[in-house]
Amino acid sequence: MNIAIALEALLTLPRGLALTLALTFASLAAGFVISVPLAFLRASPNPWAFGPVLAYTYAFRGTPLLVQLFLIYYGIGQLPFVRQSFLWAVMREPFWCAFIAFTLNSAAHTTEVLRGGIQTVPLGQIEAAKALGLSRLHVMRLIVFPLAIRIALPAYVNEVIGMLKASSLASTITLLEITGIARQLVSETFAPYEVFIVAGSLYLLLTLIINRIFLILEAHWERSSKPTNATGSSRERRPKPFLTTRPS
């Protein structure tokens, strides 16, 4: 292993870090916004509501992201009406093509993640909210959605990490994120072993950081959901002695 080339890669590859993070988290944010209403439609018992959403999620979850990226970057730009409209200003840019492909793919996966969380919310919570006179919209916004987010958080972490790793596909359409710069450096040094070890280490570091952030968030939600005593500190209720083994 050539240490000099590895050090050069260690100094060069972080230049693509900003583009990697921007593409990843912009796509995740846009995909999350799209997925929230789609998840409620997907969880609906009405086939006219969940049918189109199911077809969308099935198509985007069942086909490779690379194929979707190529269809948007190479395919849509070949349509005459796209080239002659305002859309061409967007579709000719590789960043926006990657952003659209990643957003649609992330929205499909996140929709199914949130749908699972919504359907796992206890029915008693919903019935209690309706008994208090809350409207359907308020029940979804104040009861169902917050609980679904907490339930779906562990699964959503996998989607975030998966999108981070999938951002490397942007290098196939000329974007110079971490993998794109790594491929460029390999073509100059002919040392793929050293360069891609450094690139893989950067992705691994980012994955560990993201995982740690979500663990902290999950722990914070766990502490906030515990009952508090008069001093404001959280404590668990203990069972009454000699009466029952269940919490009072």
Side-chain angles (χ1 to χ4, degrees):
M1 181 173 178
N2 193 322
I3 302 299
I5 295 179
L7 291 175
E8 182 183 358
L10 188 61
L11 295 174
T12 304
L13 296 186
R15 297 175 187 171
L17 186 61
L19 182 56
T20 294
L21 295 178
L23 191 57
T24 299
F25 290 105
S27 302
L28 286 169
F32 187 85
V33 171
I34 296 172
S35 68
V36 172
L38 293 183
F40 281 100
L41 292 175
R42 180 70 179 87
S44 171
N46 186 351
W48 292 101
F50 75 77
V53 180
L54 175 61
Y56 161 67
T57 58
Y58 189 84
F60 277 87
R61 293 171 68 233
T63 55
L65 178 55
L66 182 61
V67 173
Q68 300 164 19
L69 181 61
F70 283 171
L71 284 174
I72 292 175
Y73 182 67
Y74 294 109
I76 293 181
Q78 302 300 319
L79 301 176
F81 76 89
V82 173
R83 286 181 171 269
Q84 297 169 4
S85 68
F86 68 95
L87 294 175
W88 179 239
V90 175
M91 301 309 299
R92 67 183 179 184
E93 298 293 335
F95 176 85
W96 294 114
C97 291
F99 171 74
I100 292 171
F102 293 170
T103 295
L104 294 175
N105 186 272
S106 177
H109 284 84
T110 307
T111 295
E112 291 298 329
V113 170
L114 293 180
R115 187 266 308 173
I118 291 171
Q119 293 181 334
T120 313
V121 173
L123 186 60
Q125 298 272 5
I126 301 175
E127 293 177 346
K130 291 180 178 178
L132 292 174
L134 295 179
S135 66
R136 183 181 180 87
L137 180 61
H138 282 87
V139 171
M140 291 190 297
R141 183 171 63 88
L142 300 177
I143 305 299
V144 177
F145 182 68
L147 291 175
I149 286 293
R150 295 192 181 192
I151 295 170
L153 184 63
Y156 185 65
V157 176
N158 295 330
E159 169 59 19
V160 174
I161 294 174
M163 183 53 61
L164 171 68
K165 294 184 289 186
S167 67
S168 62
L169 296 177
S171 64
T172 60
I173 57 171
T174 72
L175 287 178
L176 294 179
E177 38 71 65
I178 292 177
T179 303
I181 294 179
R183 295 174 62 180
Q184 189 178 65
L185 190 59
V186 167
S187 65
E188 297 172 357
T189 62
F190 301 100
Y193 185 74
E194 294 84 351
V195 174
F196 283 116
I197 281 182
V198 175
S201 300
L202 286 177
Y203 283 110
L204 179 60
L205 178 61
L206 292 173
T207 299
L208 293 175
I209 292 173
I210 291 172
N211 189 58
R212 182 60 180 171
I213 291 173
F214 276 94
L215 286 176
I216 293 173
L217 179 60
E218 190 172 357
H220 172 72
W221 278 351
E222 286 290 334
R223 289 194 301 268
S224 64
S225 63
K226 290 182 180 179
T228 57
N229 56 23
T231 61
S233 60
S234 62
R235 61 180 179 86
E236 295 181 355
R237 296 183 179 181
R238 296 183 179 180
K240 294 180 179 180
F242 308 115
L243 295 178
T244 178
T245 58
R246 295 183 180 180
S248 59

